[in-house]
Amino acid sequence: MTITVPFDPVSRSLRNNRRQQTLWGIALCTLFLLAVIFSTWVIGDGGLGPVLSQRNQPPSIAHPFGTDWLGRDMLSRSLHGMSLSLRIGLLAAGISALIGTGLGLAAGTLGGWVDAVITWIIDVFFSLPHLVLLILIAFAVGGGTRGVIIAVALTHWTSLARVIRAEVLQVNSADYVKISRRFGRLPLWIARHHMVPHIIPQLIVGLILLFPHAILHEAALSFIGIGLSPHIPAIGIILAESMRHLSTGYWWLGVMPGLLLLLSVKSFDWLGENMRALLDPKTSQG
Amino acid sequence: MLKGEGLWFRYDTKLPWVVRDQSLAIAPGEVIGLVAPSGYGKTTLGKLLAGYLKPSRGRITLDQQPLPSRGYCPVQLVFQNPELSVNPRWRIDRILREKHPPQQYILDALGIHPGWLTRYPHELSGGELQRVAIARVLNRNTRYLIADEMTAMLDANTQALIWQVILEFARQYDVGIIAISHNQPLLQRICQRDYLVAEQTIVNLVPERQLSI
Amino acid sequence: MLTISNLGIRFTQYDQGLHRKQLTVITDLDLTVQPGELVAVVGASGSGKSLLAHALLGILPENAQLSGTMAFQGEPLTQKRCEALRGKAIALIPQSVGYLDPLMTVGRQVQRVGQLNGLPSRAAKTLTARTFARYELPAHTPKRYPFQLSGGMARRVLVSTAVMTQAQLVIADEPTPGLHPDVVTETLNHLRELAQEGRGVILITHDIEAALQVADRVAVFYAGTTVEIANAQDFTTGNLRHPYTQALWRSLPQNDFVPVSGNQPSPDQLPVGCLYGDRCAWSTAECKQARPELRFVRQGWVRCIHAEG
């Protein structure tokens, strides 16, 4: 005897279109980040000048992030600082991504001793403590903005290179590439038509996820004084300066810029994860 | 005439021999079968004949010349698993057009629906995909076709359809076919001669018989 | 023991950009399995056979919608029950060693199956050894890794994973992909033994000759629906009911080796009437109007209005 009971149908019409949600997520994150970057041109330098009559005010409607010991509007300072940090981070990460892709492609396609050398370099970089390496390079190059960009660019390419190399190796050993060669196609044609479609998604996602690292490390370097000059209000500088005032109870000097940094970095993270979900055929059908 | 003479192959000097002193010859228009228990190197032999691997010893000649290393190889190998032999990020029509696009009558004979052309490989079933993989090698430039368990993963109907088309194509253009398979009834149907790959030599199993199709 | 009625499975997939389309991969699927019986599910690739196995184990992807009923040993099979029973009362014999953990020795993995079924580790280990001995696997097998197994050994290890579970229902999903005939026969005999022990066995395959070697009944799938459920001997006595089954039988190399042209309908464009209609020699206007019901004809079931008693 069997009991016939209808199966629970999962009602899809009520649930949100997942892909729509993903695209919304990407759009929102992108808008937020662009807003922060371009905020400097929108709000101008107005809030950056010292107004001694407004010193040390906690967050209020007039000054959502409060003011510092010189009466400068913290929101204005934070936005300027974040925008600068973002731009520097993007530049450094961009250079790093180029290095990573180039080396990854070379290692995968050329093989042999080229691959061995590049893999060895990657291993060396992975075995050294990351922050120490950053500091050393920034210091050696003479610090400042230039030092930060060079240091970050030279140290963040390793993960991406590894991923790209693995992807290239995998595609190279695929049956359809071997068949392509037997069809008479040249290596360059194969690289352009078979390999690139596989690498691009990895590259995009890898690049986006590289930015938070670059930005945070720039902030770290500036925080400890090796990076940008203290006169330029990068986020790291702002945080460093706020340390002096924490004990006096002016908590907003550190917390508010810190939250802005957190939110910006997290946006990149969300953006990257959403892009990955969209580009990976396994999850893009959900 | 496609000939393999005194072929030996191993992947590395430290590894055991996979192909041991095998010799084989096939004339245009012939259909021969290659049978052996697992592990006797049938697939490797197929790859050697199609130029995917270079023999450690011995040589392969096509009409007295070595296999061309450039351009479209006149000896083409069709793999068992179609999902691996196409680029998953390419659409079907791009896969078909990779080198020599097949003529429309081949597509029709194989039942390749025009609607498939804009789809991706994962949207087609195994049987449909194998037909696409076969269509792209059925052109005037293919002189010899090596079918490595080509229809082992397909249902009987698709198998019959594919072989019908291939044998007709072979008859029309005098193409030689080597069928690597375990399926005895199938080989009896399509082959004129069977080769058994035994330990040392390829033994001519059954003398010439009429093609029973 | 297992009764499936009118099972339907649909997927929602993204077509271009944000546009979604419905794929109906299984329609009106009916199947029963009794204890001690070996039922073969035969169909072309893309006919929905593997999805049936996934549905029984509760491992369909998230965007799948089910309708119809599945009952196991009298109780309905809900998602929760599937999860509770899989690996215990319902076991799967996977297709290849690729489904095993490549980093663990096979002995440990098979032993783990026993432990997950409630056996203490000592007893599981003994049972593993006994099961391996039953299938004549050499003594060193438990220490081997999956990639070190030869084709035949791998098959026997995969069967062991199911035997360890004392499962009442064993599902073998394409257990003989392109294997040597001797290994195929051996694997099929193992499945036959499992049925003789009183378990129910579902053999999912495209290879009809293999299925006929050991099956009691054969369910023929086409485009996600059951078109015929025949007894094994019906094939050799010529007692086939559905035109597709007859075509499949005729296309074997040992028979006429004649194929029927056309393709299975695509899951996103199923016709209104009979799913086999556009390829069928018996097709009439009536066929195009509605899907036929499963009828009991000549001691078997068939989904065709023209099948005669």
Side-chain angles (χ1 to χ4, degrees), chain B residues 7 10 16 39 89 109-110 114 123 141 165 168 174 195 200 207 211:
Chain B
L7 298 173
R10 60 181 170 188
R89 290 186 191 264
L110 283 169
E123 297 178 80
N141 303 76
V165 175
E168 178 54 42
D174 242 6
Y195 277 128
Q200 292 301 320
L211 205 58

Side-chain angles (χ1 to χ4, degrees), chain C residues 82-163:
Chain C
C82 283
E83 287 172 19
L85 294 178
R86 67 169 170 241
K88 302 190 176 67
I90 302 182
L92 173 73
I93 299 181
Q95 213 169 331
S96 74
V97 284
Y99 287 84
L100 296 176
D101 186 341
L103 301 176
M104 233 198 269
T105 57
V106 297
R108 266 192 70 196
Q109 293 193 56
V110 176
Q111 189 184 323
R112 221 176 105 73
V113 173
Q115 284 172 259
L116 286 169
N117 268 270
L119 291 175
S121 66
R122 261 290 190 79
K125 205 161 178 198
T126 333
L127 186 57
T128 309
R130 259 198 295 138
T131 315
F132 280 2
R134 169 182 172 175
Y135 290 119
E136 289 169 14
L137 283 164
H140 56 72
T141 312
K143 294 215 175 43
R144 289 258 182 279
Y145 286 90
F147 73 91
Q148 293 173 306
L149 300 173
S150 76
M153 281 169 72
R155 292 276 116 224
R156 286 177 265 163
V157 167
L158 288 171
V159 174
S160 309
T161 61
V163 172

Side-chain angles (χ1 to χ4, degrees), chain A residues 4 10 25 35 95 141 153 163 179 182 188 219:
Chain A
T4 52
V10 181
I95 299 175
V141 195
V163 166
I179 292 176
R182 294 278 89 215
L188 214 58

Side-chain angles (χ1 to χ4, degrees), chain A residues 31 45 47 51 63 85 94 121 150 158 167 197 219 226 263 265 268 276 286:
Chain A
L31 276 171
D45 288 343
V51 182
H63 299 281
S85 294
I121 296 178
I150 293 177
T158 47
E167 200 67 36
I226 294 190
L263 203 57
V265 168
F268 270 113
R276 172 176 288 156

Side-chain angles (χ1 to χ4, degrees), chain A residues 1-13 15-20 23 284-286, chain C residues 3 12-14 16-18 20 62-71 74 76-79:
Chain A
M1 188 192 73
T2 56
I3 305 163
T4 52
V5 169
F7 220 98
D8 321 301
V10 181
S11 170
R12 288 287 144 162
S13 49
R15 257 186 72 156
N16 271 335
N17 186 330
R18 236 225 348 234
R19 184 176 278 194
Q20 242 174 9
L23 288 173
S284 66
Q285 292 298 332
Chain C
T3 311
T12 327
Q13 232 189 34
Y14 285 99
Q16 297 281 26
L18 290 173
R20 285 186 289 184
E62 257 192 32
N63 59 334
Q65 290 164 269
L66 281 108
S67 57
T69 70
M70 295 200 291
L77 262 185
T78 56
Q79 177 66 20

Side-chain angles (χ1 to χ4, degrees), chain C residues 20-103:
Chain C
R20 285 186 289 184
K21 62 181 179 187
Q22 283 265 359
L23 297 174
T24 313
V25 287
I26 292 195
T27 343
D28 295 330
L29 197 151
D30 295 292
L31 187 68
T32 56
V33 181
Q34 306 298 335
E37 195 182 25
L38 196 155
V39 176
V41 172
V42 172
S45 48
S47 57
K49 327 188 283 294
S50 284
L51 283 169
L52 172 63
H54 294 179
L56 286 169
L57 295 164
I59 53 176
L60 285 172
E62 257 192 32
N63 59 334
Q65 290 164 269
L66 281 108
S67 57
T69 70
M70 295 200 291
F72 178 66
Q73 291 177 332
E75 304 284 325
L77 262 185
T78 56
Q79 177 66 20
K80 253 174 117 187
R81 195 151 175 252
C82 283
E83 287 172 19
L85 294 178
R86 67 169 170 241
K88 302 190 176 67
I90 302 182
L92 173 73
I93 299 181
Q95 213 169 331
S96 74
V97 284
Y99 287 84
L100 296 176
D101 186 341
L103 301 176

